[in-house]
C-alpha cells in the first residue's frame, strides 16, 4: 500500500529529529571526555576529535554505498532501522569507554551502520515530485536543526553530571527511535522501482564512479563536496574554538549549538519554502553560498562571545544553498537510481569528513599550540570561507555551461 506522502515526510522528519537529538547530546561534552582520557589541553584534544570523526567517516565511506544499494533492493525501511539500532549500541559503547582507543572502536562501529542520512534522503527522493523536492529536502535539514536545538542544550546540562551521562541518554533515544520506526515508519520504495544489489556498484569507488554517468553534474557535485569540507570549520571546530577563544563551558556550548539548530530549523523548515519558489534553485545556490562565506569570515575574526551568536544569522541563512543544490542534482537522475545516487553522495560526504575534520582541527591545533609563530584560532573559519567562495564559482560555471533541470528556476 502506498503511504500518504505527507504522513511519510512527517515520519521521516520525526525519525531524523530524534536521531540527531541523540547526536547533539554528546557534542558539548566530547572535548571534556577526550581531555579526561588523554590528560592534555584543548589544542591537543581537538586533534583527537578530528581523528575520531575521521574514523567514523572512513567506515561510513566504505559501508554507505553498500547500505544504499541494499535499500534499493530491499527497501528503505529495514536499512534505516538497522542504522538506528547501530547508533544506539555505539552510544552505549562510548558511555563506558575506559581509554581513548575504545572511543575509536565505538566510532568505527557507528560508521559501519551509519546509513540514516543516506536512507532518509533516498526516502525523501522516493516520495517527492519535481515541484516539492527542494522543500522536502529542506525538511530533512529542519529535522537536523530541531534535533540540534534540543540535543546540545540538554547535552550541555546533562554534562554537568559527568561527560558520560549524555552518551547514555543518547543511547536510549536511538534505541527508542529504532522501536518507533519499527512500528510507525512505512516503506517508500515500491517493488517495481527496486533493483538488484551489485557489489561493483556498491563499493565506495564504484559508487562514486556511477556519478560519472552524468558528466554534466560533475561541477555541481564538486560544489557540493566543497560545501561539506568548508562546513567542518563549524562542525568539527566550534566547541574547541569557543573553549579556547572565549572559555565557554559545556552549558554555553550547548546553548550556542541550540541557537544554531533553531536558526537552521527556521531557514530550512520555514523560510526555504518561501525563498526557493521565489528565487529558484539556481539563485538560491549562489546567494546561499555567499552567505555561508560571509558567516565563516565573520566567525574567524570574532572578538566577543556575543558576536558568535549574531554571525550565526548570515551563516545559517546560507542553508538555502544545500537543498537547492541537492534538488538540482537529484532532479537529473532517474527514480530507480535515487538510492544509489544518495548512497554515492553520502560516500562523498563521508569523504569530506575524512578530509575535513583533521584539516580543520589540525589548523586550529597548529595555530593555537604553545609557541606557535602566529596565534589565530579562527584559521579554520577563514579557510572554510575561501572554500565556500570556490564552491559558488564552480556552481555558477557549471550551471551556465550545461542545460540542467532546475525546478523552480
Amino acid at each position: 500500500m502506498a503511504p500518504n506522502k505527507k504522513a511519510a515526510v512527517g515520519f521521516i522528519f520525526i525519525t531524523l529529529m530524534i536521531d540527531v537529538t541523540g547526536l547533539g547530546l554528546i557534542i558539548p561534552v566530547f572535548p571534556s571526555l577526550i581531555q579526561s582520557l588523554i590528560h592534555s589541553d584543548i589544542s591537543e584534544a581537538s586533534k583527537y576529535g578530528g581523528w575520531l570523526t575521521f574514523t567514523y567517516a572512513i567506515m561510513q565511506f566504505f559501508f554507505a554505498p553498500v547500505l544504499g544499494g541494499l535499500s534499493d533492493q530491499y527497501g528503505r525501511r529495514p536499512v534505516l532501522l538497522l542504522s538506528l539500532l547501530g547508533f544506539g549500541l555505539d552510544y552505549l559503547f562510548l558511555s563506558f569507554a575506559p581509554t581513548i582507543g575504545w572511543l575509536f572502536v565505538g566510532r568505527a562501529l557507528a560508521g559501519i551502520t551509519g546509513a540514516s542520512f543516506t536512507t532518509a534522503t533516498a526516502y525523501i527522493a522516493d516520495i517527492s515530485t519535481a515541484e516539492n523536492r527542494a522543500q522536502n529536502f529542506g525538511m530533512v535539514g529542519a529535522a537536523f536543526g530541531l534535533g540540534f536545538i534540543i540535543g546540545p542544550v540538554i547535552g550541555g546540562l546533562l554534562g554537568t553530571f559527568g561527560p558520560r551521562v549524555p552518551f547514555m541518554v543518547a543511547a536510549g533515544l536511538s534505541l527508542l527511535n529504532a522501536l518507533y520506526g519499527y512500528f510507525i515508519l512505512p516503506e517508500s520504495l515500491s517493488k517495481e522501482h527496486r533493483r538488484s544489489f551489485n557489489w561493483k556498484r556498491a563499493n565506495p569507488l564504484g559508487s562514486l564512479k556511477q556519478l560519472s554517468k552524468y558528466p554534466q553534474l560533475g561541477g555541481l557535485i564538486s560544489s557540493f563536496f566543497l560545501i561539506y569540507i568548508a562546513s567542518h570549520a563549524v562542525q568539527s571546530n566550534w566547541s574547541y574554538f569557543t573553549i579556547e577563544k572565549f572559555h565557554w563551558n559545556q552549558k554555553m556550548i550547548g546553548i550556542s549549538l541550540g541557537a544554531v539548530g533553531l536558526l537552521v530549523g527556521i531557514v530550512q523548515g520555514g523560510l526555504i519554502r518561501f525563498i526557493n519558489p521565489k528565487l529558484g534553485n539556481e539563485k538560491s545556490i549562489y546567494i546561499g553560498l555567499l552567505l555561508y562565506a560571509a558567516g565563516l569570515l565573520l566567525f574567524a575574526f570574532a572578538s566577543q562571545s556575543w558576536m558568535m551568536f549574531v554571525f550565526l544569522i548570515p551563516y545559517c541563512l546560507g542553508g538555502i544553498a544545500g537543498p537547492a543544490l541537492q534538488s538540482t542534482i537529484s532532479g537529473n537522475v532517474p527514480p530507480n537510481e535515487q538510492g544509489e545516487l544518495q548512497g554515492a553522495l553520502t560516500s562523498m560526504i563521508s569523504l569530506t569528513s575524512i578530509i575535513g575534520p583533521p584539516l580543520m582541527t589540525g589548523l586550529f591545533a597548529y595555530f593555537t599550540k604553545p609557541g606557535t609563530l602566529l596565534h589565530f584560532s579562527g584559521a579554520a573559519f577563514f579557510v572554510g570561507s575561501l572554500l565556500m567562495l570556490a564552491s559558488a564559482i564552480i556552481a555558477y560555471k557549471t550551471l551556465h555551461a550545461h542545460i540542467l533541470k532546475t525546478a523552480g528556476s
Side-chain angles (χ1 to χ4, degrees), residues 226-238 241 260 288-303 307-308 310-319 360 363 376-391:
L226 290 177
I227 291 172
Y228 276 87
I229 289 282
S231 70
H232 279 286
V234 174
Q235 294 176 20
S236 301
N237 194 51
W238 183 270
F241 172 82
V260 173
L289 289 173
L290 291 176
L291 286 167
Y292 268 147
L296 285 167
L297 189 63
L298 290 169
F299 289 149
F301 295 100
S303 58
M307 293 180 179
M308 298 301 287
V310 174
F311 298 160
L312 280 173
I313 296 172
Y315 178 78
C316 291
L317 282 171
M360 297 304 180
L363 284 168
F376 182 33
S377 51
F381 294 129
F382 184 77
V383 171
S385 180
L386 295 178
L387 292 176
M388 288 294 187
L389 286 174
S391 177

Side-chain angles (χ1 to χ4, degrees), residues 40 48 68 84 116 132 170 248-250 258 266 295 338 341 354 374:
S40 190
Y48 279 92
L84 297 175
S116 58
N132 66 14
W248 285 6
N249 57 23
Q250 295 167 358
I266 291 171
Q338 287 294 332
L341 169 68
I354 292 169
L374 175 64

Side-chain angles (χ1 to χ4, degrees), residues 39-75:
H39 309 291
S40 190
D41 60 18
I42 194 66
S43 182
E44 187 70 12
S46 71
K47 289 194 290 186
Y48 279 92
W51 288 111
L52 280 164
T53 306
F54 166 90
T55 301
Y56 171 83
I58 200 166
M59 289 294 105
Q60 190 178 66
F61 178 70
F62 285 111
F63 285 92
V66 174
L67 295 174
L70 288 173
S71 80
D72 277 343
Q73 178 171 351
Y74 298 107

